[in-house]
Amino acid sequence: MEYSKYHKTIVQSLLDGKFLLRNEPEFIELREKEEFYSEFFKASFDYELKVTTDYSYLISSETSEITSRDICIFFALICYELDRDGKNFIDELNYAEFEISQVENYFANSAYIDLIHSNKQLKDKDSRKNFINMLSRRSIIEKRSEEKFTFTPAYKVFIDFARDLARKRMEEQQPTA
């Protein structure tokens, strides 16, 4: 079998937790051969390949993935602080350019400062700088400069997860008739 010129990059990127975005040639190749790659990742690593119109990523059945948890906490805190700041957080995530200093200000003044300090990847400015760089390597954000970034459509994975989790908890709290 002959593999495409992007095969190694596709496999390595997805295994590294990177999202492939629709403007990348690797994403186009992946979409064209989605069935092959779905079978490949399932048979080789027992991972599920997800491909949307905007991005692709892998899902593991492993539920103790700390980085995914920390990314969810990061988004929860950002969304909470944007809302508290009177902004529509979905609009902001979709269209706004963020400054690192803005994020630092949100974290420094957050009502959830105890949660922030207890999280290894978010606890202080240096940790958050490394965390922001990790988000960039995974294509969850796109750095415009060392001080500015925008979110890529990959943020939707974490917002959708939080939405599903909230719905599930609300359903569990509903009294049964």
Side-chain angles (χ1 to χ4, degrees), residues 7-71:
H7 179 74
K8 186 175 179 180
T9 305
I10 290 169
V11 172
Q12 193 62 55
S13 294
L14 291 172
L15 288 176
D16 288 344
K18 182 179 178 188
F19 287 78
L20 295 180
L21 303 176
R22 74 174 171 201
N23 61 345
E24 299 172 322
E26 293 85 357
F27 177 80
I28 295 166
E29 180 74 21
L30 181 73
R31 285 203 65 171
E32 290 175 0
K33 297 179 178 174
E34 184 176 342
E35 185 176 331
F36 164 78
Y37 280 107
S38 290
E39 292 173 8
F40 172 83
F41 283 111
K42 185 68 179 170
S44 302
F45 306 102
D46 199 26
Y47 291 159
E48 181 183 354
L49 175 66
K50 291 285 191 182
V51 180
T52 72
T53 56
D54 294 325
Y55 52 86
S56 62
Y57 62 102
L58 291 177
I59 296 177
S60 167
S61 60
E62 178 64 44
T63 57
S64 63
E65 222 289 328
I66 292 172
T67 299
S68 294
R69 180 204 64 191
D70 291 349
I71 294 170

Side-chain angles (χ1 to χ4, degrees), residues 16-168:
D16 288 344
K18 182 179 178 188
F19 287 78
L20 295 180
L21 303 176
R22 74 174 171 201
N23 61 345
E24 299 172 322
E26 293 85 357
F27 177 80
I28 295 166
E29 180 74 21
L30 181 73
R31 285 203 65 171
E32 290 175 0
K33 297 179 178 174
E34 184 176 342
E35 185 176 331
F36 164 78
Y37 280 107
S38 290
E39 292 173 8
F40 172 83
F41 283 111
K42 185 68 179 170
S44 302
F45 306 102
D46 199 26
Y47 291 159
E48 181 183 354
L49 175 66
K50 291 285 191 182
V51 180
T52 72
T53 56
D54 294 325
Y55 52 86
S56 62
Y57 62 102
L58 291 177
I59 296 177
S60 167
S61 60
E62 178 64 44
T63 57
S64 63
E65 222 289 328
I66 292 172
T67 299
S68 294
R69 180 204 64 191
D70 291 349
I71 294 170
C72 289
I73 291 170
F74 175 82
F75 275 108
L77 291 168
I78 289 291
C79 291
Y80 176 82
E81 297 301 333
L82 287 168
D83 186 58
R84 202 170 87 163
D85 204 13
K87 297 177 180 175
N88 180 320
F89 65 85
I90 294 295
D91 285 347
E92 294 292 311
L93 295 176
N94 274 323
Y95 307 113
E97 184 174 81
F98 289 81
E99 292 188 22
I100 300 290
S101 61
Q102 173 190 15
V103 173
E104 284 302 318
N105 191 40
Y106 282 150
F107 276 75
N109 297 304
S110 176
Y112 294 97
I113 195 69
D114 291 341
L115 173 65
I116 293 167
H117 285 157
S118 68
N119 186 292
K120 188 176 178 183
Q121 295 192 79
L122 302 174
K123 67 181 178 184
D124 57 38
K125 190 174 181 176
D126 288 338
S127 300
R128 287 191 290 275
K129 182 179 178 183
N130 290 333
F131 187 79
I132 295 284
N133 287 333
M134 181 274 299
L135 293 178
S136 177
R137 285 191 305 276
R138 291 182 178 221
S139 297
I140 297 168
I141 66 167
E142 181 178 334
K143 282 188 154 185
R144 303 293 182 171
S145 70
E146 280 303 309
E147 296 302 319
K148 295 182 180 183
F149 67 90
T150 57
F151 286 99
T152 71
Y155 84 85
K156 295 173 185 173
V157 169
F158 304 98
I159 298 298
D160 289 347
F161 175 78
R163 183 181 300 126
D164 291 345
L165 185 63
R167 280 190 190 132
K168 187 177 177 182

